[in-house]
Amino acid sequence: MKGTLRYLAGIAGPNGFGSRSTAEQVTQHCFLPYSHLTAIITGGTSGIGAETTRVLAKRGVRVVMAVRDMKKAEIVKERIVRESPEADIVLLEIDLSSLSSVARFCSQNNAGIFSPNLEFSEEKIELTFATNFLGRHYLLTEMLIKKMIDTAKKSGIEGRVINLTSVIHSWVKPDCFSFPELLHPIKYNGTKAYAQSKLATILHAKALSRRLKDRNANVTINAVHPGIVKTGIIRAHKGLLTDSLFLIASKLLKSVSQGAATTCYVALSNETKRISGKYFADSNETNCSDLANDVSLALKLCTNSHTLIHDYLHLSLPNLSLL
C-alpha cells in the first residue's frame, strides 16, 4: 500500500528519483564515459524502446537498434538525428520471436509483446514466451555475453545487461510455472503468459548474475519494471477492461519518457555500478516476488532453456566457467 501511494504521489526514492522522473532527468548528471559505450536496444521503433534510444544517443552512447521493421527504425533514427546531429545509431534486423533470427543477429555483431490469442513462433513455441524471454533476453544475452566479458576486461568499462520485466511477474504462482507448459500451454491466457514471461526475465537475471560473479566478470545484469506506460501493449490489454475503467486507469499511467527512466538510470548511473541480480522500479532498487528470488527455479529455467536452444538450433552457448 505504501509503495502504491509513493507511486501515485511521485514521491522520490533514496536516490532522489521516483515514478514521475523522466529518462533525461535520471541521466542528466551521470558521469560515465558515454562515448566509449555501445548499447543494443530491442523494441526501439516505438514507446519505451524509442525513448531509451533517443536519450542514450543524446548522451553520446553508440546505439545499435535491433529491430524487425527497418522502415520504422529509419524514421526513428532520422527523428533522433535531427534533435542530436552527433547521434551514432546503427540499425540491424532481428525477429525476436525466431530463435534462428536471434542467432543470425548475434553472429553479425520493447519489442515485448502481449498476445491475447494463442500463437506460436517459427519454432512452434508459444509466441509470448518465445519473444519476451527466449529470444529477447535469454538467447540474445547468452550469445553476446562472452563478447561483453572480453570487452569489459579490455576496456575497463563495466558491461551492463538490462532485462525489461513487469510488476505483474508477481501474479505468477509456483504451480503455474512449468517449463513444458510455458512452451506449449494447454489452457492459454494472454495475461498469464505475459506475466510468466516477465517472471522468467527476472529469474534469468538472478541466475546469470551468480555466474558472472563466480567468474569475477566486470559485467552486471539487472531487471527493471518501467511502470505501466501508455504503449501498444496497454492498447492490446484494453479489450480486457471497460472503456470507462480504461479511461480512469490511463490517467495513472506513466508517459513514455517516465517509462524509459528506470532503464536509462540502471544503464548509465554511477550509483548502479557493481550492482547485479537486482530488481528496479521507478529508478530505485526494490523487492520482487518470492518466486522471482527462487534460486533453484532460476537455475532450472536456464538449464531447460539451454537444452532447448541446443535441441532446436544445435547451438553451444558459452559456459562462463570455461571463459
Side-chain angles (χ1 to χ4, degrees):
M1 184 64 177
K2 186 182 294 185
T4 301
L5 293 175
R6 181 181 293 275
Y7 167 80
L8 293 175
I11 299 173
N15 61 13
F17 301 117
S19 63
R20 299 308 174 206
S21 300
T22 67
E24 288 203 32
Q25 290 171 342
V26 301
T27 59
Q28 190 172 4
H29 300 296
C30 294
F31 297 104
L32 289 176
Y34 299 146
S35 60
H36 298 288
L37 300 180
T38 296
I40 298 176
I41 297 177
T42 60
T45 56
S46 63
I48 298 170
E51 177 66 3
T52 301
T53 300
R54 183 187 73 83
V55 173
L56 294 191
K58 184 175 183 176
R59 299 300 182 218
V61 177
R62 177 177 180 264
V63 177
V64 177
M65 292 178 66
V67 300
R68 183 169 56 182
D69 191 325
M70 294 293 281
K71 290 183 178 179
K72 285 185 178 180
E74 286 286 0
I75 294 172
V76 172
K77 177 180 177 179
E78 289 174 5
R79 184 170 66 241
I80 293 173
V81 171
R82 281 199 300 270
E83 177 187 352
S84 303
E86 301 301 317
D88 184 359
I89 301 175
V90 177
L91 308 182
L92 291 178
E93 190 171 9
I94 188 172
D95 178 357
L96 292 168
S97 71
S98 167
L99 301 182
S100 58
S101 175
V102 175
R104 286 194 298 270
F105 172 88
C106 293
S107 66
Q108 292 174 340
N109 182 72
N110 128 344
I113 67 163
F114 166 80
S115 179
N117 302 310
L118 178 59
E119 300 178 71
F120 292 94
S121 70
E122 179 182 321
E123 290 83 11
K124 308 304 180 185
I125 298 169
E126 190 280 309
L127 189 63
T128 300
F129 188 70
T131 304
N132 289 0
F133 174 65
L134 282 176
R136 185 184 193 187
H137 290 299
Y138 182 78
L139 182 57
L140 185 61
T141 301
E142 295 289 340
M143 289 194 70
L144 294 177
I145 197 65
K146 184 180 184 302
K147 179 68 173 178
M148 290 188 69
I149 293 172
D150 292 344
T151 300
K153 185 176 181 179
K154 292 176 182 177
S155 67
I157 299 174
E158 182 180 81
R160 298 181 181 182
V161 180
I162 300 170
N163 283 1
L164 203 64
T165 184
S166 171
V167 69
I168 73 167
H169 78 273
S170 61
W171 295 4
V172 182
K173 304 303 179 185
D175 59 352
C176 296
F177 197 77
S178 161
F179 196 74
E181 180 73 9
L182 295 174
L183 303 181
H184 306 107
I186 298 173
K187 293 183 178 180
Y188 182 77
N189 177 281
T191 301
K192 177 182 174 182
Y194 185 76
Q196 290 169 328
S197 72
K198 294 306 180 179
L199 171 61
T201 65
I202 302 179
L203 291 169
H204 177 232
K206 299 281 186 181
L208 182 53
S209 174
R210 290 168 63 91
R211 290 162 56 202
L212 290 167
K213 287 178 180 177
D214 290 343
R215 178 66 176 76
N216 197 30
N218 190 24
V219 177
T220 65
I221 178 170
N222 292 289
V224 305
H225 167 51
I228 310 301
V229 185
K230 301 170 186 175
T231 67
I233 288 179
I234 291 298
R235 289 192 293 273
H237 277 280
K238 185 178 178 181
L240 303 177
L241 305 171
T242 67
D243 289 342
S244 297
L245 182 57
F246 183 83
L247 179 62
I248 295 172
S250 67
K251 303 301 181 183
L252 305 177
L253 302 181
K254 285 187 176 184
S255 69
V256 170
S257 184
Q258 291 167 342
T262 305
T263 300
C264 291
Y265 173 78
V266 176
L268 298 184
S269 176
N270 289 318
E271 295 181 19
T272 58
K273 188 175 183 179
R274 289 190 290 273
I275 293 178
S276 191
K278 303 300 182 181
Y279 172 69
F280 287 79
D282 297 333
S283 301
N284 284 267
E285 184 182 333
T286 189
N287 297 321
C288 53
S289 71
D290 290 340
L291 195 59
N293 280 315
D294 188 325
V295 175
S296 62
L297 183 63
L299 295 176
K300 185 177 180 180
L301 171 68
C302 290
T303 298
N304 286 334
S305 299
H306 186 282
T307 301
L308 181 143
I309 297 299
H310 181 270
D311 290 346
Y312 273 78
L313 300 180
H314 306 292
L315 286 174
S316 296
L317 298 177
N319 183 339
L320 293 190
S321 64
L322 301 178
L323 297 182

